[in-house]
Amino acid sequence: MDLRQLEYFVAVAEERNFTRAAERVHISQSGVSAQIRRLEHELGAELFDRSARTVTLTAAGEAALPHARAALASAEAVGRAADEVTGLVRGRLTVGMVVGCTVTPLFDALAAFHAAHPGVEILLREDNSDRLVDGVRGGTLDLALIGTAAATPDGLDALTVISEGLVAAVPPGHPLAGRKELALDELTAHPLVCMPPGTGLRAVLDQACAARDLRPAIALEAGASDALADLAARGLGVAVLSASMAEAYAGRLTALPLTDADVPALLALVWKPAHQPSVRAFLTHARDAFGATAGP
């Protein structure tokens, strides 16, 4: 048994697919499969149920997974300890980004980090904010750019990039199009199109409505602001967006600030307090990149 086999095991367990796991670890699918078979032979137990289209863990695999992750984390800690002494930045940086959010300063920070540390492999993964936070806490992500209704998720450090209010966005001819602003009870009298649960904007909307005992009628959900804008433009509901998102659709939709949505929508970088040198180096570039802008 070696660390490479454990890395492949964890990749297949998390991706639930041998092809995606092979792409993640940059070897062929047959190579991943062969190494997993060797590991299973050494352990005397099958780790995966391969009978369905989606690969699932067996009982033995479920029992082995946390120990495999711990072994890989310990091996990385050895390298980090040496790096702390020598000042080297190397290895891999895995960054999460909320789905459907094109944030130019994040890309600028990644480019600056890559130029300064070309020996560090950079991985970028998209997901909803709740799963990104879980990934940072669980160690599968080094840091992540998330949407949130709380400045700092429990157990993590955070750099708030944007803090702004929610707006309702409606097309010309909509009954609300002539308004300048809107209260939540007026908003929830109409069907809404909004982000799905697990996203920062949805958390902000849900918290604001719950505080006033309002139950919004969610007509449609989409994970990208372009999709929400297109749905609203076709009269399928009032889009709930952040103020900066709505600016991109000024020619198609009218943005109405929500006067009593007191919880701000935040965009934030989050990471574990105890982090590797590559995270610390990336944060230096991130602060420079985000410090020069007021929005995504």
Side-chain angles (χ1 to χ4, degrees), residues 108-186:
D108 291 339
L110 289 169
F113 176 84
H114 176 67
H117 307 287
V120 178
E121 179 186 12
I122 299 173
L123 300 179
L124 184 63
R125 305 193 185 285
E126 284 190 313
D127 212 328
N128 75 33
S129 294
D130 282 358
R131 286 194 289 267
L132 291 175
V133 169
D134 289 341
V136 175
R137 288 186 177 131
T140 57
L141 297 173
D142 294 310
L143 71 165
L145 184 69
I146 66 166
T148 179
T152 306
D154 290 342
L156 300 180
D157 287 340
L159 171 65
T160 298
V161 174
I162 298 171
S163 177
E164 58 187 1
L166 293 183
V167 302
V170 297
H174 191 279
L176 298 174
R179 301 286 300 275
K180 297 296 184 184
E181 57 187 21
L182 208 59
L184 277 169
D185 61 344
E186 297 173 300

Side-chain angles (χ1 to χ4, degrees), residues 91-108:
R92 176 184 296 170
L93 181 72
T94 306
V95 180
M97 181 179 72
V98 64
V99 171
C101 192
T102 302
V103 186
T104 301
L106 176 66
F107 303 153
D108 291 339

Side-chain angles (χ1 to χ4, degrees), residues 137-295:
R137 288 186 177 131
T140 57
L141 297 173
D142 294 310
L143 71 165
L145 184 69
I146 66 166
T148 179
T152 306
D154 290 342
L156 300 180
D157 287 340
L159 171 65
T160 298
V161 174
I162 298 171
S163 177
E164 58 187 1
L166 293 183
V167 302
V170 297
H174 191 279
L176 298 174
R179 301 286 300 275
K180 297 296 184 184
E181 57 187 21
L182 208 59
L184 277 169
D185 61 344
E186 297 173 300
L187 170 70
T188 55
H190 298 265
L192 306 183
V193 294
C194 62
M195 297 281 184
T199 59
L201 282 181
R202 181 59 175 271
V204 172
L205 174 64
D206 289 348
Q207 286 188 29
C209 289
R212 287 158 181 79
D213 198 27
L214 298 172
R215 291 178 173 81
I218 308 299
L220 298 166
E221 297 175 342
S225 59
D226 283 351
L228 296 179
D230 284 347
L231 293 168
R234 287 165 172 76
L236 295 171
V238 178
V240 180
L241 302 169
S242 70
S244 60
M245 284 179 177
E247 289 176 3
Y249 313 111
R252 301 168 57 200
L253 300 173
T254 298
L256 309 172
L258 299 176
T259 57
D260 52 350
D262 301 327
V263 180
L266 304 179
L267 195 65
L269 274 171
V270 296
W271 64 93
K272 279 185 174 180
H275 51 269
Q276 61 195 43
S278 59
V279 173
R280 185 162 55 249
F282 176 78
L283 287 171
T284 299
H285 296 289
R287 289 187 175 96
D288 289 344
F290 284 110
T293 182

